[in-house]
Amino acid sequence: MNKNIDDNDIDIELDFDFTPIGLAIKKAREVKKITREQLVENLGISTRHLQSVENEGQFPSFKLFIKLITMFDVSVDQYIFPDKEAEKISARRRLDSLLDTLDDKDLSIIEATAYSLYKAKEQAEK
């Protein structure tokens, strides 16, 4: 027997701060050097709405949310499930996207830099 579930039947308190996700979207947009004006024109939304999503924690529509996080490779697991360790955080996913655009010479420089950072951190911890 199928029972229709009414919104009143479900008591869920939505106490979720969207601000960190909005800021991650903004940071990813800036990394890709896409202006707010370019993005709102592409998405067909107002500048004020995007500003509210990015800076003020306003919840976007589900459709807009999916467009933004896929467009900018923003992983939301770390925000939705803060107690779980995300496999790849947003910064790592953005870095992966950037690395995909580099040639072997550029990658060797990045690899050497990362190794130097690792060694410096290792020395500092001693």
Side-chain angles (χ1 to χ4, degrees), residues 13-72:
E13 184 178 328
L14 186 58
D15 186 26
F16 181 79
D17 182 10
F18 192 81
T19 306
I21 297 175
L23 292 172
I25 291 167
K26 178 181 179 179
K27 183 176 180 181
R29 174 181 59 76
E30 291 171 342
V31 165
K32 287 194 173 194
K33 299 193 183 325
I34 297 174
T35 66
R36 187 176 285 145
E37 291 73 23
Q38 291 170 320
L39 185 57
V40 298
E41 187 172 317
N42 178 277
L43 295 173
I45 62 173
S46 73
T47 304
R48 178 69 186 121
H49 182 59
L50 181 60
Q51 181 180 342
S52 294
V53 169
E54 288 184 339
N55 298 320
E56 300 166 17
Q58 179 178 338
F59 286 79
S61 69
F62 184 71
K63 184 177 178 180
L64 178 58
F65 174 69
I66 296 300
K67 281 183 179 182
L68 290 170
I69 63 171
T70 56
M71 182 181 290
F72 297 114

Side-chain angles (χ1 to χ4, degrees), residues 98-100 102-113:
L98 290 171
L99 291 174
D100 288 342
L102 301 177
D103 62 23
D104 286 343
K105 182 179 177 185
D106 297 331
L107 290 172
S108 65
I109 294 168
I110 299 297
E111 181 181 20
T113 303

